[in-house]
Amino acid sequence: MIRLTQEQNASTKGNISILVLLSLISLVVMFVEIMLVPDLRQVASDFTNGAEWISWVLSIYLLVGGVVTPIIGKLGDIYGTRNLLIIVMIIYLFGLLGSGFSISISNALLGEANIFVLLFFRGVQGIGMGMFPLAFSVIRNVFPQERIPFALGLVSSMFAVGTSIGLVLGGWLTSVDTWNFAFHLVAIPFAVLIVAAFFVVKKEQGVEKGEKIDAVGAALLGISVFCLLYAVTAGRTDGWTSTKIISFFVVSAVTAVAFVLWERRSSEPIVKLSLFKNLGILNATLVAFFAGLVMFLYYQTMPFFLETPVALGGYYGFSDTFIVGLHMLPTAAFQFIFGMTGGLASKKYGSTNVMVVGTAIMAIGFLVLTQFNDVFWKLAVSQAILGTGIALAMSSLINVVMDFTPKQEFGVSSGMNTLFRTIGGAIGPALSAAVMAPYIIPGFEELYRYEGFDRIWTVATVFAIVAFLIALIFRKGGKQGKSS
């Protein structure tokens, strides 16, 4: 009996170490992805070529991440998660360092500061998104069933913590130094996390079944989403009815259809369409797409709203990125508060019910934002409501997936959910740039009239309402998967 207790204590300590490690990974990754948000205008101005592609600083990371995440999740199911997690973390570190040195590299290779070098390394960072389905699989493999919702909720809540720190500390770093320095600095603790993962996460046996990776499906998906994003981004400059833009839209549609047809006949699909027969999984997947879309619509537009000079019709006119980060803090703070409780609420009230409530509050938040934004206390209220909704919606998603997915399919299912969330997120910045293009203030690139912000937040409100209706309609649907 004493030996059993000691083993249980050792297991508990090991689980705590794993949970701390995975939480810190999530925190650091989200910090990196948000730390540039307050300084996007400065990033654009630092590049002499391609500054108009600034929205892709967020989009390319999400696009690459969306394509490779289900593949990495599948590889984790086949070969085990520990070694793959470490490899993906090393690739992410390479992307961090490359992004930090992107201006120097582009000057050395091209003779000018070209933003496409930064976009390349941001794409490399996108591969790091595969850490998340691997982390979720580690939790499901090592934690007792009754503690899984809390563990998943805690790791998911670190997205909000990283966001909070990224907005404030990232804003401060970019105000006292440069955004390049911020990349260099964050690479240090992430390298430490790689070493920690080597010792903390135990090597497990994979469930190899001789499966193959769906490279064709991944290529078709990547081409489809890339062509869509390119057309949305370039349409404002090349003309929406130009042959070039129409061609990209057509290629996107054709490859999307080809992707679906290929996945239906593939023996090892990147997106297992049969899982969508379960309405619970379909529910979480569709909500994930729209939640990712509206969240990045907000993050792409709010810094520019706060930075628009009063003399040009803005309400705030901040030039200090630290101040911009502070004024975006209410959203992140409430994401943190309700992200921490989202997992527990999912266990107590049901994950689908929490998702319904979260999407409803998210829609209300955007609606209020369109009306309450001219002074900080109003803006803070709007952001608090929005942050609450985003946190509850996002933290419930992984628990919905877990509730309705058999354990052996969890890596694929969680990867699919992340895929659709990140594709939505990738579309968000490009869509915001397209919708707001008619409202650019002449002579001031990336500065917009107030009507542009009102229009894009109204669009976000509509998408959030769609997410709520999907969650509401399908909340009773589906057949729960077995957890073992």
Side-chain angles (χ1 to χ4, degrees):
M1 180 65 68
I2 294 177
R3 177 178 175 81
L4 180 61
T5 302
Q6 290 175 338
E7 290 176 350
Q8 290 175 333
N9 288 337
S11 177
T12 299
K13 291 179 180 179
N15 289 353
I16 292 174
S17 298
I18 290 174
L19 188 57
V20 170
L21 172 67
L22 298 180
S23 297
L24 288 175
I25 290 173
S26 298
L27 186 153
V28 172
V29 170
M30 283 310 302
F31 171 85
V32 172
E33 301 325 309
I34 297 300
M35 71 180 184
L36 287 185
V37 167
D39 205 34
L40 284 175
R41 282 189 64 206
Q42 183 60 49
V43 176
S45 67
D46 284 345
F47 289 94
T48 56
N49 193 333
E52 66 273 16
W53 292 87
I54 186 62
S55 65
W56 280 66
V57 170
L58 298 178
S59 289
I60 192 67
Y61 166 81
L62 295 166
L63 170 61
V64 174
V67 173
V68 304
T69 291
I71 294 177
I72 293 175
K74 183 67 171 286
L75 286 171
D77 284 346
I78 298 174
Y79 300 111
T81 56
R82 186 256 197 179
N83 289 343
L84 190 57
L85 176 63
I86 293 173
I87 291 172
V88 172
M89 291 177 72
I90 292 173
I91 293 173
Y92 185 80
L93 178 62
F94 173 72
L96 280 179
L97 295 171
S99 295
F101 288 107
S102 57
I103 292 181
S104 300
I105 294 172
S106 61
N107 282 330
L109 296 179
L110 305 174
E112 63 179 1
N114 192 309
I115 199 172
F116 291 102
V117 175
L118 172 61
L119 296 183
F120 169 78
F121 286 108
R122 288 286 293 162
V124 174
Q125 284 180 249
I127 298 174
M129 287 194 69
M131 288 182 279
F132 295 129
L134 295 176
F136 295 146
S137 291
V138 168
I139 288 173
R140 190 157 187 180
N141 289 337
V142 305
F143 277 80
Q145 180 65 28
E146 67 275 8
R147 296 183 181 178
I148 290 177
F150 169 76
L152 292 176
L154 180 62
V155 173
S156 298
S157 72
M158 289 300 106
F159 297 171
V161 179
T163 299
S164 304
I165 299 175
L167 288 173
V168 179
L169 182 57
W172 178 76
L173 286 174
T174 54
S175 68
V176 300
D177 208 295
T178 65
W179 58 269
N180 314 76
F181 170 74
F183 274 114
H184 300 157
L185 187 63
V186 79
I188 298 172
F190 195 80
V192 174
L193 291 177
I194 294 176
V195 176
F198 185 84
F199 292 100
V200 171
V201 182
K202 304 300 181 184
K203 186 175 181 180
E204 81 286 9
Q205 295 296 319
V207 290
E208 184 174 355
K209 302 174 183 177
E211 291 131 324
K212 298 179 180 179
I213 299 302
D214 185 15
V216 174
L220 289 172
L221 178 63
I223 292 171
S224 178
V225 179
F226 173 81
C227 288
L228 174 62
L229 291 180
Y230 181 89
V232 170
T233 301
R236 59 174 173 164
T237 55
D238 294 347
W240 296 105
T241 58
S242 67
T243 301
K244 176 183 177 181
I245 298 302
I246 292 176
S247 298
F248 271 93
F249 276 124
V250 170
V251 172
S252 176
V254 170
T255 50
V257 173
F259 171 73
V260 172
L261 295 176
W262 174 265
E263 296 300 278
R264 292 183 64 181
R265 63 184 293 270
S266 175
S267 59
E268 302 294 340
I270 188 175
V271 172
K272 198 168 185 177
L273 298 177
S274 61
L275 289 175
F276 289 147
K277 294 178 181 179
N278 187 309
L279 294 183
I281 296 176
L282 178 63
N283 184 4
T285 303
L286 293 176
V287 170
F289 173 82
F290 286 106
L293 174 61
V294 300
M295 183 171 71
F296 277 90
L297 280 176
Y298 165 79
Y299 281 123
Q300 176 69 21
T301 56
M302 183 54 68
F304 297 106
F305 175 74
L306 293 170
E307 293 171 357
T308 303
V310 175
L312 296 177
Y315 289 133
Y316 300 92
F318 299 131
S319 58
D320 189 325
T321 55
F322 177 57
I323 301 300
V324 171
L326 285 177
H327 278 71
M328 294 179 66
L329 187 58
T331 301
F334 276 77
Q335 276 187 262
F336 168 63
I337 294 170
F338 286 92
M340 290 286 288
T341 60
L344 296 175
S346 294
K347 182 178 180 180
K348 183 174 182 179
Y349 301 107
S351 56
T352 52
N353 291 327
V354 174
M355 187 165 61
V356 169
V357 173
T359 52
I361 297 175
M362 187 169 64
I364 294 171
F366 273 111
L367 181 62
V368 174
L369 181 60
T370 62
Q371 306 299 318
F372 282 67
N373 54 49
D374 57 339
V375 294
F376 178 63
W377 76 264
K378 293 181 180 179
L379 184 66
V381 170
S382 304
Q383 290 178 312
I385 297 172
L386 184 58
T388 300
I390 291 174
L392 292 176
M394 288 295 188
S395 64
S396 65
L397 286 174
I398 191 62
N399 282 296
V400 173
V401 171
M402 185 192 71
D403 288 344
F404 289 95
T405 305
K407 185 174 182 179
Q408 64 272 18
E409 301 278 13
F410 183 68
V412 175
S413 186
S414 62
M416 286 167 50
N417 190 266
T418 302
L419 165 66
F420 280 84
R421 185 177 73 243
T422 52
I423 288 177
I427 293 173
L431 179 62
S432 68
V435 172
M436 296 179 67
Y439 304 97
I440 289 180
I441 299 174
F444 296 90
E445 186 68 22
E446 304 300 339
L447 286 180
Y448 305 89
R449 303 197 309 273
Y450 173 79
E451 292 82 2
F453 298 104
D454 182 70
R455 177 65 60 86
I456 193 62
W457 293 338
T458 299
V459 170
T461 302
V462 173
F463 284 134
I465 291 173
V466 171
F468 163 70
L469 292 175
I470 292 171
L472 182 66
I473 293 171
F474 292 130
R475 75 185 191 281
K476 298 296 184 181
K479 180 180 179 182
Q480 287 192 326
K482 297 179 181 180
S483 60
S484 60

